Amino acid sequence: MRTIAHWINGAPVEGSGGTAPVYNPATGEQTAEVPLADVAQVDWAVAAAKTAFPVWSATPLSARAEMLFRFRELLDGNRKELAAVVSSEHGKVLSDAMGEVARGIENVEFACGIPNLLKGDFSEQAASGVDVYSLRQPLGVVAGITPFNFPAMVPLWMLANAIACGNTFVHKPSEKDPSASLMIADLVKRAGVPDGVLNVVHGDAVAVNRILEHPDIAAVSFVGSTPVARHVYETGTRNHKRVQALGGAKNHMVVLPDADIGMAADAAVSAGFGSAGQRCMAISVVVAVGAVADDLVAAIAERVPNVRVGPGDDPEAEMGPLVTRELRDRSADVVNGAAAEGATVVVDGRDRTPEGDGFFIGCSVVDHVQPGMRLYDEEIFGPVLSIVRVDTYDDALRLVNDNPYGNGVAIFTRDGGAARRFQSDVQVGMVGVNVPIPVPVSYYSFGGWKASLFGDTHMYGPEGIHFYTRGKVVTSRWPDPATSEVDLGFPQHR
Ligand code: NAD
């Protein structure tokens, strides 16, 4: 059995305590064991990061940028290998994993602009002989705790900007698909980044809780489910850390009666079932407004059988398995209970599950779903698309705004005025207009509202730079050299 290592101070380090199994979700077989760090191992990684901080934070911006460019080139040259590692432990199909790596690389490209991003402000002659200017300085050791569903992209959301800003980083990846983090750490080292700047400790709640309490960690970035995000935010801030904690989601796609039904159905299928619904920006609920419902449901149902379900390394497959047996079973359970709750199962994914022990389930579409049903109230995180029928735009808006989550939302319409009104009215952090998965490009920032974000800073982009630095304002006075006791040759003209 392959044993996965931690990565501390630029080298792999064996675990010493408990372990957890890592599976190939397409076969259901265990492929590796990942160590679960105890307190001492987390402390070791933090100590390495703390030792590396003084030299790294003093490394010139041009040198940091050069290393980031090299890291970007190495990632680019290893796209396929990294995507294959992601696919083998997460289950997503290779084309999707390639997309994940591409979005991760965009964050490194953004971070390559760090000399420009860290420029401060300067006010000359704020008072007589007085200038005022601002600096942004790194925080110290910062930590990132990441979820299973984007094992390459989400770490790159965090660590590219964190180290570009001059911080050192301790990464705690998901124990379900930990290998991508090690490949990234190796590429960072090969890019010339000094040992100790990026460290990886695997683990579960024990490691996370040590990170949240560790006195030498200044800030924590978290992405994962809402209950854990809330815990991370509350515990981290109680321990005087800066925390950004992104939580779960229940993303709606509102389809107005004037929408292009074919376009909306294509979008619902790709955004609902891509990555087997295990994206934080996946469409989970289609809200059909007024007369559009029957035609829209028919168009979606017609497309679903075309989604080819299979192992991630099958080039023909469009949707892979779920990451664990438990998540697969949860999707099956909600479909199982849907009819009893009064919903109508239009396409039953349980009938379209590939043979074998992999954690597969086919795509399901359930119509006439309503708040109060498990299918609506829970984050399912699987290939189950719910349809809620409402009469009016206002009903749709109320539904979305009453939902406790506020990560992503989309509206499909041909009416620019309606879309403009929606983008203003809706209480959600990321809005798509005829775009089902509106993940912001790397030079904007990513974050939801309500139970999808704890803290006030979104991730990556300008807000990422803000999160990983603290501001300082200098007010300086230099007397006019003409008044110097030593004659410096300046005329007294001021
Ligand atoms: P998770 O919350 O189970 O795990 C996330 C991280 O927290 C992992 O590193 C895990 O080891 C750790 N963890 C788990 N339980 C813990 C506990 N009790 N105490 C301390 N740490 C704990 O999330 P997941 O299942 O890996 O990922 C899926 C979830 O992440 C979904 O809810 C999804 O919506 C969310 N997500 C959100 C975003 C976003 O941008 N808002 C992005 C990706 C994923």
Side-chain angles (χ1 to χ4, degrees):
M1 184 67 60
R2 185 167 66 94
T3 310
I4 292 168
H6 304 299
W7 182 274
I8 301 177
N9 210 17
V13 167
E14 274 182 28
S16 57
T19 61
V22 177
Y23 294 96
N24 177 348
T27 61
E29 281 167 20
Q30 186 181 346
T31 55
E33 277 192 331
V34 61
L36 302 176
D38 56 15
V39 166
Q41 280 173 327
V42 174
D43 287 0
W44 185 5
V46 177
K50 190 180 178 186
T51 305
F53 178 70
V55 170
W56 181 244
S57 56
T59 300
L61 291 172
S62 55
R64 276 189 244 158
E66 207 179 314
M67 289 179 229
L68 285 158
F69 273 108
R70 277 205 295 272
F71 177 42
R72 190 263 168 215
E73 289 307 292
L74 286 162
L75 280 168
D76 183 44
N78 287 276
R79 279 174 198 256
K80 282 193 183 144
E81 292 75 5
L82 187 53
V85 167
V86 167
S87 172
S88 69
E89 292 182 353
H90 175 284
K92 65 179 72 174
V93 295
L94 265 177
S95 55
D96 195 28
M98 287 290 282
E100 161 170 4
V101 172
R103 295 308 299 258
I105 289 176
E106 287 174 16
N107 284 271
V108 181
E109 290 165 350
F110 177 79
C112 287
I114 197 65
N116 198 38
L117 294 166
L118 284 186
K119 279 201 294 204
D121 296 321
F122 194 101
S123 300
E124 186 187 30
Q125 194 74 343
S128 189
V130 173
D131 302 324
V132 180
Y133 49 97
S134 64
L135 318 174
R136 292 209 73 85
Q137 296 187 316
L139 306 175
V141 180
V142 302
I145 301 161
T146 53
F148 80 82
N149 65 331
F150 286 106
M153 182 185 76
V154 171
L156 292 172
W157 282 2
M158 301 174 181
L159 68 88
N161 286 331
I163 66 175
C165 288
N167 302 286
T168 54
F169 198 83
V170 175
H171 177 205
K172 207 302 284 172
S174 168
E175 62 276 37
K176 295 191 177 86
D177 45 14
S179 294
S181 66
L182 294 173
M183 197 165 165
I184 290 171
D186 181 56
L187 297 179
V188 164
K189 184 181 169 94
R190 284 166 54 193
V193 174
D195 293 346
V197 173
L198 171 63
N199 306 277
V200 180
V201 274
H202 303 288
D204 55 13
V206 172
V208 170
N209 289 333
R210 180 58 186 155
I211 285 170
L212 297 176
E213 286 163 4
H214 201 297
D216 291 333
I217 292 181
V220 177
S221 299
F222 173 88
V223 176
S225 60
T226 287
V228 184
R230 185 180 284 115
H231 165 70
V232 165
Y233 184 75
E234 290 177 355
T235 313
T237 51
R238 197 163 54 244
N239 288 303
H240 313 296
K241 298 182 197 320
R242 187 180 284 203
V243 181
Q244 53 178 182
L246 276 58
K250 193 83 187 174
N251 305 311
H252 297 68
M253 173 175 151
V254 175
V255 183
L256 295 187
D258 70 336
D260 177 328
I261 289 182
M263 181 187 184
D266 286 341
V269 171
S270 71
F273 302 119
S275 199
Q278 299 175 112
R279 292 178 179 146
C280 55
M281 292 289 275
I283 292 298
S284 174
V285 183
V286 171
V287 187
V289 180
V292 82
D294 287 342
D295 290 347
L296 180 63
V297 172
I300 292 172
E302 185 187 302
R303 285 162 171 74
V304 171
N306 299 332
V307 178
R308 294 187 62 141
V309 182
D313 58 5
D314 173 355
E316 303 280 298
E318 292 165 300
M319 187 181 102
L322 280 87
V323 70
T324 59
R325 188 173 282 115
E326 292 71 27
L327 268 181
R328 190 269 316 274
D329 292 348
R330 185 162 79 187
S331 286
D333 277 356
V334 288
V335 177
N336 213 12
E341 288 192 297
T344 311
V345 179
V346 179
V347 182
D348 192 335
R350 294 169 301 169
D351 301 338
R352 297 160 190 267
T353 301
E355 299 284 305
D357 295 328
F359 310 144
F360 289 101
I361 185 167
C363 309
S364 296
V365 180
V366 185
D367 197 1
H368 301 288
V369 173
Q370 285 178 8
M373 296 180 182
R374 185 176 170 211
L375 202 48
Y376 185 83
D377 292 349
E378 286 183 18
E379 184 187 24
I380 309 301
F381 228 55
V384 185
L385 191 61
S386 299
I387 317 281
V388 177
R389 295 175 178 233
V390 298
D391 292 333
T392 64
Y393 167 85
D394 280 342
D395 295 336
L397 183 70
R398 197 172 312 112
L399 181 81
V400 177
N401 285 350
D402 283 351
N403 194 279
Y405 296 106
N407 213 39
V409 71
I411 187 163
F412 277 71
T413 177
R414 289 187 168 98
D415 186 326
R420 185 168 179 273
R421 165 109 174 257
F422 182 75
Q423 75 191 23
S424 176
D425 290 346
V426 77
Q427 289 166 18
V428 173
M430 293 169 282
V431 183
V433 176
N434 297 320
V435 171
I437 303 198
V439 174
V441 289
S442 63
Y443 39 98
Y444 283 78
S445 298
F446 181 110
W449 286 17
K450 302 190 280 184
S452 298
L453 175 75
F454 298 84
D456 66 348
T457 313
H458 289 197
M459 204 155 287
Y460 72 71
E463 294 200 36
I465 301 298
H466 185 86
F467 183 78
Y468 291 126
T469 53
R470 45 186 173 173
K472 187 181 272 180
V473 177
V474 180
T475 305
S476 78
R477 168 179 282 130
W478 292 103
D480 192 321
T483 64
S484 169
E485 285 173 13
V486 180
D487 182 5
L488 297 171
F490 285 84
Q492 292 194 3
H493 63 81
R494 289 199 176 195

